[in-house]
Amino acid sequence: MEHIYPDMDWNISRSHDKSLAPRCPHANVHRCPRYYQSYSLLGESGITTALTPETDTALLAKWKKTDLWPALAEHATSISGSNGKKSHFSNFCPEVAFDTFGLFASSLCRYADEIDRANAESWLVGNGRAFAKDWRWDWASLNPMHYSECPLYSQLAVSQSIVPDSTKEEIVSMKPGAFGFSVDLKKLISRFSRWWLSRHG
C-alpha cells in the first residue's frame, strides 16, 4: 500500500494535479462551518487560542441556520479521548488539521498509551517500515485528505457561486399585477448567466 505523508508538499502536489489553488478558498470561520467548528472545538479544548465568546456564539448561530450544518452527530466535527487526554479528532477540516498538527487530514487518532506507542515504534524499526517522514511515530491512525475531497467543498462552491452576498438582487417583488407580484426576467436571466459562467467559464 502506498505510504502517504500528507504534509505541505503532498498537498501542493495534489492541488497542482487538480489545477486548484494550493489551499482551500473556503478556509475561514465565516465561509465554512467545518473550518469554524474545528477551530471552535480546538479552542474549547485548550489546544489552540479560543475564539472570543461573542464571535463563537455569532458563528454558531449563523451556521446552524444553514443546511450545511451537520444533521447527524456522526457527521459533526468532534474531539474525544479518555483520562483527560484529547486523542481522537474526527471529521476535521484538513486545513485546520495542518495548521494545528502539520498534516492535512480529516481524522487523527493518537496512541491509547505509551505502551501502544512503544510497540508501534518497535514494529516500525524492526520491520523496516519507517519512512523518512512517517506519521505513525505520533499517530495510531490518520485519514489524509485534500480539501477538494471534503464533503462540504462542492456544496460551498455551489452555494457561493449561485447567490454571492455582494450580488443579491430582488427578482420577485410585491407589485401590482395579475397575481399580486411580478418577476423581473432581466435580473433572473442575468443571475442565471453569472452562475453559468462561474461553472463553465
Side-chain angles (χ1 to χ4, degrees):
M1 185 172 65
E2 180 188 4
H3 173 68
I4 297 176
Y5 188 76
D7 59 1
M8 181 60 77
D9 290 339
W10 173 86
N11 184 72
I12 291 177
S13 176
R14 292 297 301 276
S15 297
H16 181 268
D17 290 344
K18 295 171 178 283
S19 298
L20 294 171
R23 302 293 295 268
C24 179
H26 308 300
N28 185 294
V29 293
H30 301 283
R31 296 181 182 178
C32 175
R34 179 158 292 184
Y35 187 94
Y36 152 69
Q37 195 172 28
S38 297
Y39 264 126
S40 178
L41 292 176
L42 286 171
E44 289 179 9
S45 301
I47 297 174
T48 65
T49 301
L51 297 169
T52 64
E54 297 79 9
T55 299
D56 202 354
T57 299
L59 288 169
L60 179 61
K62 168 188 174 177
W63 289 119
K64 277 192 169 183
K65 292 178 181 178
T66 72
D67 59 0
L68 296 171
W69 192 254
L72 301 176
E74 291 83 354
H75 297 163
T77 300
S78 65
I79 298 178
S80 58
S82 58
N83 300 322
K85 296 181 179 179
K86 305 300 181 182
S87 56
H88 190 194
F89 305 83
S90 180
N91 293 323
F92 249 66
C93 166
E95 298 286 325
V96 174
F98 174 77
D99 289 341
T100 307
F101 306 114
L103 298 167
F104 289 93
S106 60
S107 66
L108 309 94
C109 184
R110 294 193 184 280
Y111 291 104
D113 51 42
E114 289 305 313
I115 295 177
D116 285 349
R117 184 184 182 122
N119 288 336
E121 291 178 352
S122 296
W123 181 84
L124 286 168
V125 174
N127 291 276
R129 297 298 181 90
F131 293 84
K133 293 181 178 180
D134 201 316
W135 52 261
R136 291 173 295 184
W137 292 111
D138 299 304
W139 301 94
S141 63
L142 178 150
N143 181 35
M145 179 177 282
H146 183 264
Y147 71 81
S148 63
E149 299 162 354
C150 173
L152 290 180
Y153 176 71
S154 295
Q155 297 181 60
L156 287 166
V158 171
S159 64
Q160 294 186 18
S161 65
I162 293 179
V163 190
D165 291 339
S166 61
T167 58
K168 287 181 179 178
E169 298 174 287
E170 185 178 308
I171 292 176
V172 179
S173 58
M174 297 301 294
K175 297 178 181 178
F179 300 99
F181 64 89
S182 62
V183 177
D184 191 324
L185 290 177
K186 288 184 178 180
K187 289 182 179 180
L188 180 60
I189 293 172
S190 175
R191 178 177 295 182
F192 177 78
S193 297
R194 289 197 301 271
W195 171 80
W196 178 266
L197 289 173
S198 68
R199 303 294 294 170
H200 305 280

